[in-house]
Amino acid sequence: MKSVQSFKRTKKVNKQIEVNIKRRTVIVDDQLVFHKGLPIPSWIEISLIDVCNRKCIFCPKSDPSVAPDTYQKMNMKLISKLTKELKAMKYKGSVVLCGYGEPMLHKDIYEISRKLAEAAFVEIVTNGDVLTKEKIKKLYNSNVNKLLISLYDGPEQKEKFKKMANAAQVPHDFVILRDRWMNEKDDYGLKLTNRAGTIKVGNQEDIKTYSYCYYPSYSVLIDWNGDVFLCSQDWQRRRTMGNVMLENLFDIWKDKTITNYRKNLLSGKRCASPCTECNAEGTVLGQKHADAWRKIYKLK
């Protein structure tokens, strides 16, 4: 019998969150690709730069003692190596530029996007502060597939960025606007998590609410220096799985370190840091990957 948890709606879920989950489901769950007999990730987040120009209350960057701006940034050598390895795996999923900083602050964002687009569907998540119609057009011409703009100041930003996108003459579905100006009562327009025990803002789930998690079955996060983490929840960077500058990404993906986490989480055991402190509902996406790994590991 399969031991899984459904997407619990203990609180009213923002309609936009539902739309975002549905969009990601198409990418994550429909791109189950195998390499050398193993399912590979379909969602890779890349943290290009460790600095953000905003300090949102629901983000760990608001506390410099937890997530200080170091201004470190990823180099093209790493991007080129990663692209080559994704091609070798016949990667079909998304590479999402977001992570621990604001990706549009990286001066090589266009070159990086063009390179990664050789091997993946490329998305950029930005606060939009440095965007212009020229930059939106340049991102589109750099083969970025989706530009997600989080609107933190108010609903008036919708009109601003709609006009900007129209002036850039990009397809209407290239830019996705996300409401993030809401107050604490409405969870700031987010599906709040404690970022693996890092923040406490809002009315959040208890850390023992969820036990199963599929994140390591379908995704990883790669930091600016090549360090690989289980997922985007680990804002304190507690446990690296490996480093893509020193190792092949696929070798890290099947290594014993991430394997142990994956097996435990597929068995409903959040028994190792940072998972022991995490309250994220990790079964919203990745069902097909989880089932594939269960079969490989012979888990019930």
Side-chain angles (χ1 to χ4, degrees):
M1 188 174 85
K2 213 182 293 183
S3 298
V4 297
Q5 289 169 292
S6 61
F7 182 27
K8 286 180 65 178
R9 286 165 174 78
T10 55
K11 292 181 288 185
K12 184 178 179 181
V13 180
N14 185 294
K15 182 179 179 181
Q16 195 176 63
I17 295 174
E18 295 274 21
V19 172
N20 185 52
I21 290 172
K22 184 176 180 180
R23 181 184 63 82
R24 289 180 60 176
T25 298
V26 172
I27 298 169
V28 172
D29 291 340
D30 290 353
Q31 296 300 334
L32 179 57
V33 176
F34 288 77
H35 180 64
K36 296 184 179 180
L38 298 178
I40 62 172
S42 57
W43 191 268
I44 298 175
E45 295 195 22
I46 298 181
S47 188
L48 290 181
I49 189 167
D50 192 23
V51 62
C52 187
N53 59 305
R54 285 189 177 240
K55 297 292 181 283
C56 302
I57 191 172
F58 49 79
C59 176
K61 276 292 183 187
S62 62
D63 185 351
S65 68
V66 173
D69 290 333
T70 68
Y71 297 87
Q72 303 280 8
K73 59 184 179 181
M74 190 173 286
N75 60 46
M76 280 304 302
K77 183 177 180 181
L78 193 156
I79 292 293
S80 296
K81 180 178 183 294
L82 177 60
T83 301
K84 181 179 179 180
E85 292 173 9
L86 292 177
K87 286 180 177 179
M89 289 191 288
K90 294 181 171 55
Y91 188 74
K92 300 295 183 183
S94 277
V95 169
V96 187
L97 307 182
C98 53
Y100 305 127
E102 167 52 54
M104 288 303 300
L105 297 180
H106 198 301
K107 65 181 181 63
D108 298 324
I109 185 69
Y110 307 107
E111 184 180 0
I112 288 170
S113 299
R114 282 194 297 271
K115 188 64 181 177
L116 289 170
E118 295 177 9
F121 188 93
V122 177
E123 296 190 4
I124 294 177
V125 180
T126 175
N127 58 37
D129 288 349
V130 302
L131 287 178
T132 62
K133 65 178 182 180
E134 291 80 13
K135 289 181 179 179
I136 291 177
K137 184 68 173 180
K138 194 170 182 179
L139 288 171
Y140 179 74
N141 290 336
S142 298
N143 297 324
V144 173
N145 296 95
K146 295 290 182 184
L147 178 63
L148 287 78
I149 307 175
S150 299
L151 310 178
Y152 297 118
D153 297 336
E156 68 277 1
Q157 286 186 293
K158 278 192 172 182
E159 190 61 28
K160 169 188 173 182
F161 284 109
K162 282 180 180 178
K163 288 181 178 179
M164 194 181 291
N166 287 335
Q169 297 182 319
V170 295
H172 73 279
D173 60 347
F174 175 65
V175 174
I176 298 175
L177 303 180
R178 310 196 302 174
D179 303 349
R180 295 291 185 267
W181 63 79
M182 299 176 190
N183 57 28
E184 184 174 350
K185 180 182 177 182
D186 294 315
D187 291 339
Y188 307 99
L190 300 163
K191 191 171 191 299
L192 285 176
T193 72
N194 68 358
R195 300 296 186 176
T198 305
I199 57 174
K200 298 180 180 179
V201 67
N203 182 26
Q204 296 203 30
E205 310 276 15
D206 183 81
I207 60 171
K208 297 180 181 179
T209 302
Y210 308 109
S211 54
Y212 294 87
C213 182
Y214 300 161
Y215 276 117
S217 294
Y218 72 88
S219 69
V220 291
L221 181 142
I222 303 175
D223 206 359
W224 67 269
N225 63 348
D227 282 345
V228 177
F229 296 96
L230 285 174
C231 70
S232 57
Q233 301 297 331
D234 187 11
W235 268 78
Q236 293 190 48
R237 298 170 167 101
R238 292 185 182 96
R239 189 71 170 88
T240 59
M241 303 296 107
N243 186 289
V244 292
M245 281 301 293
L246 305 175
E247 308 162 74
N248 185 283
L249 178 60
F250 182 71
D251 290 338
I252 296 171
W253 179 247
K254 65 183 180 66
D255 187 67
K256 63 180 181 180
T257 302
I258 195 170
T259 294
N260 288 337
Y261 276 92
R262 189 182 293 128
K263 284 182 176 179
N264 283 331
L265 292 170
L266 287 174
S267 299
K269 301 174 183 176
R270 298 196 184 194
C271 55
S273 179
C275 305
T276 51
E277 301 300 318
C278 183
N279 70 350
E281 184 177 3
T283 58
V284 177
L285 301 169
Q287 181 71 59
K288 290 183 179 178
H289 287 75
D291 289 345
W293 282 114
R294 281 196 178 97
K295 186 175 181 180
I296 290 169
Y297 296 146
K298 298 180 180 179
L299 299 173
K300 294 183 179 180

